[in-house]
Amino acid sequence: MSRAGLDGIDTLLLEVGAGLTRIALRRDGALIDLIVEAAGHESRIGWILLGRVIEVSHGLDAAFVDIGAAEPGFLPARAARLLKPEMPAGTPIARLLAEGETHLLQQVKDESAGKGPVLSADIALHSDHLVLTPRLAGVAVSRAIPGKAERARLRRAALDAAQALGLLPQEGIVLRTSAAGLDAANIQAELAALAARWRAIQARAAPAKPPVVIDRPAGALEQLLPHLAPDTDILCADLAGHTRVTRWCEAHRPELLPHIVRYRGQDPLFEREGVEEEIAAALERSVPLPGGGALAIDPVEALVAIDVNGAERDPREAAFAAVHEVARQLRLRSLSGLILVDFPRLDRRADRDRLIEELRAALAGDRVNTQLLGYTRGGLVEIIRPRDRDTLAHQLAQLRAG
């Protein structure tokens, strides 16, 4: 998760049980996100796998790859091109690979709804401030870093580090938004760690027989901790979670140590803090709005429909009261795809423009890059939210099913 997805998060609640980890993120007392990691159901996004091509589909312009999962991985031609970087964009899949070949790939989407996981040859290794792209040359600097001079400085520091470390010509670097202000020594140290990780991956893959997992990123907790604000409260429900987070912070972010608390109450932490109640509410169709009214959330096959019912409230007041709750529910429930929101009618153009801007600002804090397309001709607000994991309802149903 990026730092952007954690803006305003002031509390992290952690519960580590046998085969199950739950992480709740709160802002101003409200549950913003729930991350569930269950043994056997964890996301494999970012895993690096050695797979064998079992079918090349000319019609789909893609290959199916055995990676040891229930369904074969799907590798479209555009994601396979870096296996033969000399080939131009648009090269058909049959010219990029063949059945029986073995390739090192990265999973970029989990399997869902009967579709297998999606793979890519464009491997990316992430650290706190950098990304190493072993098959994609060049140095890219996040455009969100303010100041042309700062971006130029970072680019030069990355190029110098790459030269000092002897990176190969095809290996590239991305400087993330969090790299702003990072000095040259830290850039080189972080890049050295990423390069060493890639060399280790190559060494493990060389004698291996597919299908096999070669490398997997850190767990969700370890991916979150680098990006928390330094004054974030971290409440641990159990000794296992407290030990895990304390050891990580001692090694990486000692400034968080004073904010780590081991909960010792009699009632379960998530119950005492109201998280269980909020999780249950996130599975309901209707969501009450502060001051009156409610959201009605209806996920269907092709889209998610959200109706803002203002009850007896002034339509303008109800519409603006719903903005932040709409954004919160999209993230909390992990709703994705086409989302249509029916806000109460706003007659004034200025009010409609203001609602769009407030909703855009609320969506900017999401963990994924959500697009707000504005009003449709029918007066609905149209949103496109990428899928990064299963819906909360589906995740919890899988846990209940075992």
Side-chain angles (χ1 to χ4, degrees):
M1 181 178 292
S2 70
R3 178 68 189 95
L6 294 172
D7 284 345
I9 297 298
D10 52 42
T11 307
L12 182 152
L13 293 89
L14 174 65
E15 180 186 80
V16 177
L20 179 66
T21 297
R22 295 197 299 172
I23 303 169
L25 301 177
R26 297 201 305 188
R27 179 193 300 132
D28 298 327
L31 181 63
I32 301 299
D33 208 345
L34 179 72
I35 300 163
V36 180
E37 279 192 326
H41 295 288
E42 66 268 50
S43 170
R44 290 165 63 103
I45 292 175
W47 289 27
I48 296 176
L49 312 149
L50 189 67
R52 176 180 288 110
V53 180
I54 56 175
E55 181 183 347
V56 176
S57 171
H58 298 270
L60 295 175
D61 199 22
F64 292 93
V65 184
D66 179 13
I67 55 171
E71 298 287 340
F74 182 76
L75 179 65
R78 65 180 180 278
R81 193 182 67 81
L82 290 182
L83 295 173
K84 292 187 178 178
E86 70 279 4
M87 293 288 194
T91 299
I93 191 70
R95 296 181 59 193
L96 296 173
L97 42 70
E99 291 182 13
E101 289 182 355
T102 295
H103 292 288
L104 197 59
L105 303 165
Q106 189 166 43
Q107 185 162 320
V108 294
K109 285 186 180 179
D110 288 323
E111 56 183 289
S112 66
K115 296 181 180 179
V118 180
L119 309 173
S120 176
D122 185 5
I123 291 173
L125 303 181
H126 294 252
S127 64
D128 291 351
H129 308 98
L130 307 179
V131 181
L132 178 67
T133 55
R135 292 170 172 164
L136 186 61
V139 175
V141 182
S142 169
R143 294 180 182 178
I145 295 176
K148 186 176 180 180
E150 172 64 359
R151 292 194 295 272
R153 181 191 71 81
L154 290 168
R155 177 180 174 81
R156 171 48 53 193
L159 286 168
D160 290 345
Q163 184 176 13
L165 295 169
L167 259 62
L168 300 177
Q170 72 269 22
E171 296 176 334
I173 307 164
V174 178
L175 291 113
R176 305 168 69 173
T177 305
S178 59
L182 195 66
D183 62 38
N186 281 314
I187 289 174
Q188 182 165 328
E190 206 164 303
L191 184 59
L194 287 174
R197 181 180 166 198
W198 174 239
R199 307 292 178 246
I201 288 169
Q202 291 176 303
R204 286 197 294 273
K209 294 183 179 180
V212 64
V213 175
I214 300 297
D215 183 81
R216 56 187 293 181
L221 177 65
E222 288 75 17
Q223 293 183 51
L224 285 169
L225 291 172
H227 306 293
L228 292 177
D231 58 349
T232 303
D233 291 325
I234 302 173
L235 306 182
C236 304
D238 42 70
L239 178 60
H242 185 266
T243 302
R244 179 174 163 187
V245 72
T246 299
R247 286 179 177 173
W248 189 94
C249 289
E250 285 174 343
H252 302 284
R253 291 199 63 189
E255 71 274 18
L256 287 172
L257 289 170
H259 300 279
I260 302 171
V261 176
R262 164 78 192 284
Y263 173 70
R264 297 182 183 275
Q266 291 187 342
D267 296 328
L269 174 63
F270 276 43
E271 184 177 317
R272 180 183 180 278
E273 293 291 322
V275 174
E276 299 290 8
E277 184 178 346
E278 290 197 78
I279 293 171
L283 301 177
E284 298 291 334
R285 176 177 182 264
S286 181
V287 180
L289 291 173
L295 304 180
I297 302 175
D298 293 299
V300 293
E301 188 69 26
L303 55 85
V304 177
I306 301 178
D307 180 60
V308 180
N309 180 1
E312 303 301 318
R313 299 177 72 173
D314 172 74
R316 182 176 180 277
E317 178 186 331
F320 284 103
V323 165
H324 286 280
E325 192 60 31
V326 166
R328 186 176 84 95
Q329 291 295 326
L330 293 183
R331 175 174 177 174
L332 178 57
R333 297 174 184 233
S334 294
L335 301 173
S336 61
L338 173 62
I339 299 154
L340 295 176
V341 187
D342 187 5
F343 285 98
R345 180 182 175 86
L346 299 176
D347 294 323
R348 296 177 60 227
R349 174 65 180 269
D351 285 338
R352 294 195 298 272
D353 290 346
R354 181 187 156 204
L355 183 136
I356 292 298
E357 289 310 307
E358 290 196 9
L359 183 56
R360 193 183 309 280
L363 293 170
D366 204 341
R367 63 177 184 265
V368 295
N369 185 23
T370 302
Q371 300 178 60
L372 174 56
L373 303 183
Y375 278 94
T376 67
R377 292 180 64 182
L380 304 177
V381 173
E382 186 175 7
I383 300 168
I384 303 291
R385 188 175 187 276
R387 178 186 179 278
D388 69 330
R389 60 192 188 216
D390 286 329
T391 65
L392 179 63
H394 182 76
Q395 292 179 67
L396 297 180
Q398 276 192 317
L399 292 179
R400 288 194 294 270

